[in-house]
Amino acid sequence: MLAAIGTWLEGRRAIRRRWQAGARALVTADAHNAYYEAQRRAARARVRNDRAAFYHWAKVAAEIARIAPLAGMDIDVVRAVVAEEERRGT
């Protein structure tokens, strides 16, 4: 039983490392727009009904909010980004 729990925990840690790496990559590429780009990718995944990708990019956006104090996080811009992605997807 302990081995199964350890395996599960390692899987969760690997998932966490992936979204932390994604956040660092977006912040390195463009710190100010990184949050918006993560939200754009989350919206794109949601339009495609890709649940795993949506969760990944939503967590990347949350990590960017945590690690990048200079990242823009205006809710009106996020709404515009989501509306644009939904328009593209239909």
Side-chain angles (χ1 to χ4, degrees):
M1 184 63 163
L2 287 176
I5 292 171
T7 302
W8 179 82
L9 281 174
E10 186 51 43
R12 299 303 304 166
R13 287 184 189 118
I15 291 169
R16 184 177 185 144
R17 283 191 298 269
R18 277 195 300 273
W19 51 259
Q20 287 174 332
R24 283 191 304 273
L26 288 178
V27 169
T28 300
D30 183 4
H32 182 70
N33 292 313
Y35 182 77
Y36 302 134
E37 181 59 27
Q39 289 290 348
R40 179 181 314 281
R41 293 178 186 192
R44 197 174 296 154
R46 190 180 64 175
V47 168
R48 289 189 325 249
N49 291 320
D50 185 349
R51 179 185 276 183
F54 171 75
Y55 286 144
H56 171 77
W57 290 112
K59 288 187 179 264
V60 168
E63 181 69 6
I64 290 168
R66 191 181 74 76
I67 67 172
L70 299 178
M73 290 181 259
D74 182 1
I75 191 64
D76 293 328
V77 175
V78 172
R79 286 182 181 138
V81 163
V82 169
E84 178 186 332
E85 289 302 321
E86 287 175 346
R87 231 181 352 268
R88 280 188 197 182
T90 55

